[in-house]
Amino acid sequence: MTKVEDLLELLNLKSVDVNVFQGYNKTVGSPNVFGGQVLAQAINAASQTITNSRVLHSMHAYFLEAGNLELPIIYNVALVRDGGSFSVRRVTADQNGKTIFILSASFHKKEDGYNHQIDINTKVKQPEELMSWTDMLEQFGDAIPKKTKGFIEIERPIEFKPVEVVNPFNKEDLPPFTNVWFKLKGDTSNLNLASKQQILTYVSDYNILAAAMNRHASKAHWGNTQTASLDHSMWYFRDFDFDDWLLYSIESPNTSNARGFAKGNIFTRDGKLVASVAQEGLMRPLNS
């Protein structure tokens, strides 16, 4: 995948029966199906059963099994409730008859009400001052650890520019946060809100556990730690556009019991808070 059109093709599922949808997989450089893909495809499946113009405002999901890249994923949607203001859907994702993932999503009719948000960190460097993953690969490719290099070599429809760049050769613990700018490649001018939310969900599974890993960088890295998304929650606040860079600001309040917890906020460049994310992931030390 190299542009947003490729990503939309991946996320837009085919209907195979009443409230049953099928999706296929694209690797992001890991041996299993990318969690963000399953999250976004499940949201797409749920959205296809919403016929009253309600807008996704939250979702909560659990990853039960690693997804097999070679097998299609079947998404079954249960219409839990269509109330006066909210519609709730439950989605299960199956491969070979085994449930690998479950998700609940809530959709809300448009209403006016009170409005406030936290402020964006205005002190972070702007994307024009930073190197992208592609720039880092071109400039430091030979010095990047093999596993990390293999991951960032995969072509993606998203460009990432981290504000804080971790040097893997400096064995020192770092503050438990990270900020990453991201931007879609390709034409984003005709995206509707549902598609934008699904793409944002896909992106939200990138980078989030890095904040938890930073706190233990003197001894932990992606090569000696088994990591996997365990659960993922997201709240969608405001409409937005993908025509400029967005900032994913992430912090990790806790790691314990071989699990890391992180939460993040996604802002437009002009400071509009569009979504918040929370995830707990496996962080299991391996024998070096």
Side-chain angles (χ1 to χ4, degrees):
M1 296 190 296
T2 60
K3 55 188 184 300
V4 65
E5 292 84 357
D6 302 325
L7 180 55
L8 287 171
E9 183 180 348
L10 175 69
L11 301 185
N12 288 325
L13 304 183
K14 181 176 76 171
S15 176
V16 295
D17 204 341
V18 178
N19 301 329
V20 181
F21 305 87
Q22 179 175 297
Y24 68 99
N25 311 305
K26 286 285 188 179
T27 184
V28 298
S30 57
N32 303 313
V33 176
F34 175 50
Q37 175 203 302
V38 184
L39 288 163
Q41 286 181 334
I43 292 298
N44 180 269
S47 297
Q48 290 195 46
T49 71
I50 299 295
T51 58
N52 51 17
S53 301
R54 291 178 179 177
V55 176
L56 176 68
H57 75 90
S58 70
M59 69 85 171
H60 308 275
Y62 283 93
F63 299 92
L64 308 179
E65 298 276 353
N68 188 329
L69 283 165
E70 305 303 318
L71 298 175
I73 303 177
I74 302 298
Y75 295 88
N76 293 275
V77 183
L79 280 59
V80 178
R81 183 175 187 267
D82 284 301
S85 301
F86 294 88
S87 294
V88 177
R89 300 292 184 262
R90 182 174 61 248
V91 184
T92 58
D94 302 321
Q95 282 187 318
N96 263 357
K98 178 185 290 187
T99 299
I100 65 169
F101 168 91
I102 56 175
L103 173 143
S104 294
S106 181
F107 299 76
H108 185 202
K109 73 176 185 179
K110 293 184 179 179
E111 294 190 64
D112 293 326
Y114 302 111
N115 189 24
H116 87 276
Q117 64 157 83
I118 62 171
D119 294 331
I120 191 172
N121 182 358
T122 57
K123 296 181 180 179
V124 300
K125 289 184 177 180
Q126 295 299 297
E128 291 77 12
E129 306 174 72
L130 302 168
M131 297 180 67
S132 68
W133 285 5
T134 304
D135 297 331
M136 294 177 192
L137 186 64
E138 292 175 353
Q139 187 164 338
F140 306 113
D142 293 339
I144 298 173
K146 183 177 179 180
K147 186 173 181 179
T148 302
K149 182 180 180 183
F151 179 76
I152 64 175
E153 281 179 330
I154 298 294
E155 290 190 326
R156 305 173 204 280
I158 312 148
E159 193 72 86
F160 293 102
K161 288 190 173 185
V163 177
E164 302 85 15
V165 178
V166 177
N167 185 339
F169 300 104
N170 288 345
K171 302 299 184 182
E172 60 179 354
D173 292 336
L174 302 169
F177 67 83
T178 188
N179 294 277
V180 183
W181 292 97
F182 65 92
K183 194 175 191 295
L184 296 183
K185 302 173 184 176
D187 183 11
T188 64
S189 59
N190 295 315
L191 296 175
N192 59 32
L193 178 56
S195 294
K196 288 185 284 188
Q197 289 179 326
Q198 290 159 33
I199 293 170
L200 199 68
T201 303
Y202 178 89
V203 177
S204 73
D205 197 37
Y206 274 104
N207 298 296
I208 188 164
L209 279 185
M213 191 74 80
N214 282 354
R215 186 64 183 83
H216 309 277
S218 64
K219 50 188 176 296
H221 54 78
W222 302 108
N224 69 1
T225 307
Q226 182 183 356
T227 60
S229 302
L230 297 175
D231 57 31
H232 195 99
S233 294
M234 196 161 179
W235 298 263
Y236 310 82
F237 304 130
R238 297 169 178 86
D239 197 358
F240 66 100
D241 291 316
F242 273 116
D243 57 356
D244 197 0
W245 294 89
L246 286 92
L247 179 67
Y248 196 2
S249 185
I250 307 165
E251 63 175 320
S252 174
N254 183 75
T255 54
S256 59
N257 302 295
R259 301 189 309 272
F261 174 72
K263 59 181 182 178
N265 295 305
I266 301 176
F267 297 90
T268 61
R269 199 206 284 243
D270 62 2
K272 182 193 297 183
L273 178 63
V274 298
S276 291
V277 186
Q279 182 182 103
E280 191 169 49
L282 180 69
M283 286 180 56
R284 179 180 290 148
L286 301 174
N287 294 327
S288 301

